[in-house]
Amino acid sequence: MLEMMRDPLGAPFFPVVFQALLVVTWVLHIHFVTGAIGSSTFSIYAFWRKDPNLLRLGRITARLTPNMVGLGIVTGIAPLLFVQTIYDPLWYAANTLTGFWSVTFIFIVMGGYSLAYLLFYLKGSKDGRLLWSAVASLVLLSFAGWVMHVLHQVSIRPDQWMSWYAPGGVIDTRGVQFHAYDVPRLLFLLPLQAGLSFAATLMFVSWYLRQRVDADPTFLDWTAGVGRRIGLWVAPLYGVFGLLWAFTEGPEFGLTAFIAVVAIVLGIGLFAFFWLQNKQPVRAGAKALGVWALALVVVAVTREVIRAVSLGRFNYSVANYPYIIDWGSVIMFGVTSVVGVSVVTYLIMVIYQSGLSADGTVSAKAEGFGRVATAMLGAWFGFFVLIGLYSSLFLR
Amino acid sequence: MYPVWEGMFIHSAMYVAIIATFHVLASHLTVAAAWFNLYIERRAVRENREELYEYLKRSALGLMVFAYVFGAMAGVGIWQSTTAANPRGISTLIHNFVLYWGSEWYMFLIDVIGIIAYYYTLGRVGKQTHLRLAWLLALGGSGTLAIIVGILSFKLTPGAWLENGLSLAGFFNPTFWPQVLMRFAFMFVITSGWSLIIATGLPRGFFEREKIIRYAGAIGLIGLVVGVGIWFLWYQPTLPAHARSIMSSRAIVPITYPLIITGVVAAAATLTFSYFRPQLQRRWIALTFMVLLQAAIFGAERVREVIRKPDIISGYISSNQLLFADLPARGVEREEQRLKEIGMLGNLPFLLPADQIDVANISTTDAQRQIAVGHVLVVQECGSCHNVSLQTQIRFADQHLVLRSLADLFVLRQRTTAADIDAYIKGIQGFPYMHEMVGTDAERAAMAAYLEDFIKQTYTNQPAVIGQK
């Protein structure tokens, strides 16, 4: 059935490339999404405790949340594209079976973002008077995570789709049921990952700001220490809930040992990393983000393995997905990738370098690169018009 | 074929329309506002006018939060809602254009990271550096517009793609160029509204307040004139005859055109007023203008969607998600013909054979079973565009608000018995916006039986249609 459901047009390039892009872009997406949940949770804790240092940091993290949500949404578009290219039967079946929540999802995220933004707009809510807003935002954002979790869990169980859609031969077109979920997996991927994303982000930001001449070293050292302590507490739980995930979902796909090994390695590895940063955690900020990115790649690959094994039971494989090489697509994407990566790199350089100094200095080298990147983006329109004219005139 | 999600309370297609309308407003705003801000910033740099940065700062913050982030969310919302409402339609687009969408994603990253950089570095980095950021935002935004229009316009006019299957031929299709230029022009009307909202919020007597309002009025008027001109002289003549005939049919809800015309008139009046009497411009006028503009966009986007009927991709896949044309260049064979011969039930994933429908209910009579079978078929074949059950009706008192309810349509045409409905469905392809029903005679009879029952469910008291669309 799954093969029959695949789009007859096939993929426009090697399917395995889409799979790789799916993994890479999901890592970016999940970092920002869980980072938002983590910073939101921390703000609530800080507002509630009202310790001066905590409150100061909580106000900063409250302002971080909406930016992380925004970036989470933007980076989420790419995996959304690639998943439906090579896993279209899964994604579409899950979204129709859970239609109401799939559509409501975006309103939930909008609500969560708006409430988080309320704190941002009021500059982190002095003295934590907007605690309710932070709590409501966290609840909504977490609920959005739950919806995505259910969609994924539904998608990897094709054997149950028909019984969910038409129990007793009566079709259910409401899409309101949460058909499948695995609580340990959800806890592993959402709140615990949120803790670790936040810990790594906190250490990174402290390290970054510490380089400024007008920095407050005491506060930033303390902040990095907070990040490290969060990592130390959460990493073992991460491993434990990973094990629970292995024992709850693993047997269904014959992957108990595999998930368990991943969970143990991640739990111990991350704990060891945070433990070893006991002297000057602020100096390990960049390293912390790198290690965490690596851990997320491992998680992303693990998710892919589970999906592949689940679908393998129905002879569905990305490797067998039909495809053609559509050169128009390849040229458009290739050229835009070169231009896009250059411009985004320049933008990040501007944000990074201007934040390092009190007067917002951007190096001459970065400026030179910016001139080239801007020219490339301008030239992209020339390329676009030329290829458009060629297509309009000669591909009729 | 996939499970059908009809919607809850509101029809699935209306979820798409509501989210899409907001997205159009926000996304068009980001592009044109980026150009307007670039224009303002260039003046600020060249003429060394610091006071203009106050406007830019207010505008950038609002854009970052409202247009870019909410626009992005609504963009994802369109994905989610179109996926749930018509998965095979979006699948066709994805499998043709995923790498074009991937290209748009880069432009979008430039937009979102760009506006963060733009806002947070305003007043911190050098003026030339910041001006470069303004350029990048304007160019990146225009890139997103250029790419998405190729995909959107493909749905109505796939052009040579129907023969050669090449993505480039489908992307740069017959309506691509007029549509991209027309949208680019109309964007400036939206951004004028935005600029008026921001500028009228500046303190009275603020040095540049009136000048910015005048600029906004002038640029918006130019956009309006150019956009309307392209519509009449280039875009509309390029539309297929089929689409033009639907534009003047009852498939378009009567209120649609008054909504659009009101928006255009309101734009012309507000922008002219802003140009000639900037000192009298008020925030409430600007806000009212934006609301009217939103309503006009809703109308225009609905027209754009409806003139494609009965297809999702014109000439290739119909609204019931079945392929009705071969595409030899891509090895695709049509599905409709085969299903007309062997029947729908049991021959597509998620469509149970007739003898497995409602099996749990052992006391069902043959007539009830026929209605149950008809329900499955009607949901599958008609549910994408029509209200076909009480689930997507909002009812209060003895009235109901619905999207193109089949119960209402048959009552209006005085076809309320199964026999009449059966005969009506048999000739349904006589309407320009309908395809022939797919399935066997027995399946059509079952559909008619269900529709008769549905009319009774809907009109338990007395007919009262308030939401005929």
Side-chain angles (χ1 to χ4, degrees), chain B residues 11-223:
Chain B
H11 192 276
S12 58
M14 282 309 285
Y15 282 99
V16 179
I18 292 165
I19 297 170
T21 302
F22 174 70
H23 178 70
V24 167
L25 182 83
S27 58
H28 284 55
L29 175 58
T30 56
V31 186
W35 283 104
F36 187 72
N37 285 0
L38 171 64
Y39 169 72
I40 297 286
E41 187 157 354
R42 284 191 74 197
R43 293 194 79 134
V45 173
R46 285 183 172 187
E47 298 163 19
N48 200 22
R49 286 155 66 182
E50 290 292 327
E51 64 281 357
L52 287 174
Y53 284 101
E54 178 57 30
Y55 167 81
L56 291 172
K57 184 151 194 161
R58 287 180 183 224
S59 176
L61 178 62
L63 286 172
M64 184 168 74
V65 175
F66 170 74
Y68 284 92
V69 177
F70 276 102
M73 288 181 196
V76 174
I78 294 178
W79 279 110
Q80 297 294 122
S81 55
T82 49
T83 297
N86 202 310
R88 286 195 93 198
I90 200 78
S91 175
T92 303
L93 296 179
I94 269 287
H95 288 87
N96 257 313
F97 298 122
V98 61
L99 291 178
Y100 294 77
W101 255 312
S103 306
E104 192 207 4
W105 182 64
Y106 280 118
M107 296 294 176
F108 196 48
L109 273 180
I110 293 172
D111 268 0
V112 173
I113 299 175
I115 190 71
I116 291 172
Y118 186 87
Y119 176 72
Y120 286 106
T121 62
L122 190 62
R124 282 180 54 77
V125 296
K127 287 180 178 172
Q128 288 300 334
T129 303
H130 202 265
L131 186 58
R132 186 174 299 116
L133 297 181
W135 269 108
L136 290 174
L137 273 177
L139 291 171
S142 303
T144 62
L145 176 83
I147 295 173
I148 199 62
V149 169
I151 299 168
L152 281 181
S153 55
F154 166 81
K155 293 198 286 180
L156 178 63
T157 51
W161 178 85
L162 291 171
E163 280 88 48
N164 60 30
L166 296 172
S167 69
L168 278 175
F171 187 88
F172 293 104
N173 60 75
T175 57
F176 171 77
W177 295 107
Q179 189 172 159
V180 77
L181 293 173
M182 186 174 69
R183 282 184 184 269
F184 201 76
F186 280 135
M187 275 178 344
F188 284 97
V189 182
I190 300 175
T191 205
S192 296
W194 172 263
S195 304
L196 292 179
I197 290 173
I198 299 294
T200 49
L202 292 170
R204 280 295 160 76
F206 182 80
F207 185 60
E208 292 291 334
R209 186 177 185 272
E210 270 73 47
K211 273 194 177 169
I212 293 169
I213 292 173
R214 281 199 87 190
Y215 294 156
I219 286 172
L221 276 174
I222 293 168

Side-chain angles (χ1 to χ4, degrees), chain A residues 25-154:
Chain A
T25 52
W26 183 84
V27 167
L28 274 176
H29 167 64
I30 204 67
H31 171 67
F32 288 119
V33 166
T34 51
I37 300 267
S39 61
S40 177
T41 308
F42 183 84
S43 309
I44 292 167
Y45 174 72
F47 288 169
W48 173 62
R49 284 289 305 273
K50 294 188 176 168
D51 168 82
N53 259 357
L54 275 176
L55 202 53
R56 182 178 171 189
L57 184 56
R59 291 179 63 199
I60 295 168
T61 58
R63 301 184 72 187
L64 187 65
T65 305
N67 285 319
M68 295 285 255
V69 175
L71 289 169
I73 288 284
V74 175
T75 51
I77 291 169
L80 189 62
L81 292 177
F82 302 132
V83 76
Q84 50 190 317
T85 306
I86 51 174
Y87 292 123
D88 43 335
L90 283 67
W91 182 247
Y92 296 139
N95 272 274
T96 46
L97 286 167
T98 323
F100 179 74
W101 295 112
S102 169
V103 172
T104 311
F105 166 81
I106 209 64
F107 296 105
I108 298 167
V109 176
M110 280 181 175
Y113 174 82
S114 303
L115 290 165
Y117 178 73
L118 199 59
L119 289 175
F120 173 96
Y121 193 69
L122 298 173
K123 302 193 188 306
S125 178
K126 201 174 181 183
D127 303 328
R129 274 175 298 173
L130 281 175
L131 185 60
W132 66 270
S133 169
V135 172
S137 170
L138 178 63
V139 168
L140 287 175
L141 293 175
S142 301
F143 187 64
W146 159 259
V147 171
M148 276 296 139
H149 168 74
V150 170
L151 280 175
H152 183 83
Q153 293 296 94
V154 168

Side-chain angles (χ1 to χ4, degrees), chain B residues 327-450:
Chain B
L327 184 56
R330 299 284 289 266
V332 178
E333 291 179 7
R334 73 180 110 172
E335 298 159 341
E336 274 199 2
Q337 194 54 42
R338 185 179 65 90
L339 294 168
K340 278 176 188 165
E341 290 158 12
I342 64 173
M344 294 276 284
L345 295 173
N347 292 312
L348 285 172
F350 298 101
L351 267 182
L352 291 166
D355 60 1
Q356 288 181 29
I357 293 173
D358 202 16
V359 285
N361 190 355
I362 52 171
S363 61
T364 305
T365 64
D366 284 350
Q368 286 170 326
R369 191 170 301 282
Q370 193 190 28
I371 290 172
V373 168
H375 176 225
V376 172
L377 286 162
V378 167
V379 161
Q380 192 72 51
E381 296 215 35
C382 320
S384 176
C385 305
H386 295 276
N387 158 251
V388 294
S389 75
L390 300 185
Q391 184 179 306
T392 54
Q393 292 184 358
I394 297 176
R395 299 169 74 96
F396 51 93
D398 61 341
Q399 302 192 313
H400 55 271
L401 185 64
V402 289
L403 177 75
R404 299 189 204 97
S405 168
L406 285 186
D408 294 348
L409 289 172
F410 283 115
V411 166
L412 283 170
R413 288 171 172 80
Q414 298 178 319
R415 306 272 189 146
T416 52
T417 65
D420 278 353
I421 295 169
D422 191 329
Y424 193 84
I425 298 176
K426 198 172 180 182
I428 198 75
Q429 65 276 17
F431 290 100
Y433 40 83
M434 294 299 294
H435 275 301
E436 191 180 349
M437 175 246 158
V438 181
T440 61
D441 290 347
E443 288 178 337
R444 193 180 63 243
M447 290 170 73
Y450 169 71

Side-chain angles (χ1 to χ4, degrees), chain A residues 3-19:
Chain A
E3 287 191 359
M4 188 179 173
M5 290 167 67
R6 287 190 306 213
D7 197 289
L9 290 171
F13 199 60
F14 300 107
V16 71
V17 172
F18 291 103
Q19 193 173 26

